[in-house]
Amino acid sequence: MQGDEVGEEDNGFVQLKNLIPKKEFEELSLEYDRLFKRKNEAKTESSWVGSDDSNRQSDSPYSVKGIHNLQYHHSIFGKILYNENILDALEDIMETENIALHHTKAHYKPPEKGAAYPMHQDYPYFPYQNDSMVAAFIHLDAASPENGGLFVYPGSHKLGPQEDFGPKEGSNFHYVDQKKFPLSGATPVIAEAGDVVIFSYLLIHGSTPNNSTRPRRMLLIQYADAHDKPNAGERGQPGRGLILRGVCLDRDATVANRHQIA
């Protein structure tokens, strides 16, 4: 694996530098901006307000714009899925050479009005039987608490799944007890443009609002061990199960089932 490492895997996350070649990173950044301009922010609200049924409409002045399934919008987002340096890092962290895609997404926090995300685990959104799920959080901009950067509770992945306070409090979204895990007690991840933070879906994390004059652009790729299985009830994700490295020995090859999502 090429690149430089910051932080420790045992904390449930690791921050890696210099994994994406300069030319590829510049193209990612350019096509990211073009994508959001093309979609013109229509029905892309992704802050945790309202519900998907109403396209998350709210009266809040704060916002996060989001687009999922990036690899269906431009080939550069498909190319980054096969970045050898990122896959090498994942192989070390996940302790498997068999790596499957779960989903991709991009979040854009606009200057001066980027919404915060409460502390949460990704686990409730797509629980897997062996908890192999990890995310690669790719910073397209430098990030700090001032422009809505990532915050984490180091080592919190060892606590396992936490009580889901979202539905308990009438929300359509999933988050942990904010009194037990306040944002003020979390550790900020200070990142440079190009840094990749890989973390367990059990890690408790969130982010501050963007009150700065700078944007905070990121894209995220979620992966799982190719032989791990989703628990019952998860909605299918376009591209889920695509093998990015190694092999999947469990994939059904029955002709009659060829249209099924993994």
Side-chain angles (χ1 to χ4, degrees):
M1 178 186 71
Q2 295 181 1
D4 305 312
E5 181 175 322
V6 178
E8 297 183 9
E9 216 174 292
D10 195 48
N11 287 329
F13 76 99
V14 63
Q15 183 174 353
L16 300 163
K17 296 179 177 291
N18 304 317
L19 295 188
I20 304 172
K22 181 180 178 182
K23 183 178 179 181
E24 184 176 356
F25 181 79
E26 289 174 348
E27 188 178 359
L28 268 177
S29 181
L30 176 64
E31 294 303 336
Y32 183 104
D33 289 343
R34 286 176 172 172
L35 174 59
F36 275 92
K37 184 176 181 180
R38 219 166 40 239
K39 297 307 174 183
N40 198 29
E41 301 187 350
K43 299 181 180 179
T44 60
E45 182 57 50
S46 293
S47 58
W48 286 359
V49 295
S51 69
D52 287 349
D53 293 337
S54 62
N55 294 308
R56 304 194 187 184
Q57 293 179 351
S58 79
D59 296 327
S60 173
Y62 285 86
S63 175
V64 176
K65 301 303 179 183
I67 297 174
H68 283 240
N69 309 313
L70 303 173
Q71 68 274 21
Y72 292 93
H73 291 276
H74 193 280
S75 59
I76 190 62
F77 301 116
K79 182 179 179 181
I80 193 65
L81 298 178
Y82 293 93
N83 177 287
E84 290 291 333
N85 293 330
I86 294 176
L87 289 172
D88 285 347
L90 289 167
E91 188 172 327
D92 290 342
I93 292 166
M94 297 172 69
E95 298 182 344
T96 179
E97 61 182 15
N98 304 313
I99 300 169
L101 175 68
H102 187 266
H103 73 273
T104 64
K105 67 179 180 182
H107 277 173
Y108 171 77
K109 281 193 181 186
E112 300 178 343
K113 59 176 184 179
Y117 282 99
M119 303 308 293
H120 64 281
Q121 296 175 310
D122 293 336
Y123 167 86
Y125 287 100
F126 30 80
Y128 264 51
Q129 293 176 10
N130 297 326
D131 296 329
S132 67
M133 187 80 68
V134 299
F137 185 118
I138 301 173
H139 292 82
L140 296 186
D141 296 307
S144 66
E146 289 70 36
N147 71 330
L150 184 66
F151 276 69
V152 300
Y153 269 87
S156 58
H157 65 299
K158 298 176 184 177
L159 301 175
Q162 295 296 292
E163 183 178 0
D164 187 1
F165 268 64
K168 186 176 178 179
E169 296 181 348
S171 173
N172 292 303
F173 306 97
H174 303 287
Y175 50 83
V176 298
D177 184 350
Q178 302 300 292
K179 293 181 180 178
K180 185 176 180 181
F181 299 104
L183 182 61
S184 60
T187 300
V189 177
I190 309 300
E192 298 176 333
D195 286 3
V196 179
V197 177
I198 298 175
F199 61 89
S200 165
Y201 81 157
L202 289 170
L203 184 75
I204 296 172
H205 62 285
S207 62
T208 49
N210 183 2
N211 292 317
S212 77
T213 58
R214 299 179 289 126
R216 196 221 68 181
R217 299 173 303 152
M218 61 79 80
L219 65 90
L220 182 144
I221 309 168
Q222 204 91 33
Y223 313 83
D225 184 317
H227 298 106
D228 203 353
K229 300 281 193 299
N231 289 336
E234 187 201 357
R235 294 171 62 182
Q237 302 266 1
R240 189 184 77 189
L242 179 67
I243 302 303
L244 304 179
R245 174 169 286 187
V247 65
C248 179
L249 301 175
D250 300 336
R251 178 69 184 184
D252 187 0
T254 307
V255 172
N257 295 335
R258 66 191 182 277
H259 301 299
Q260 291 182 359
I261 296 176

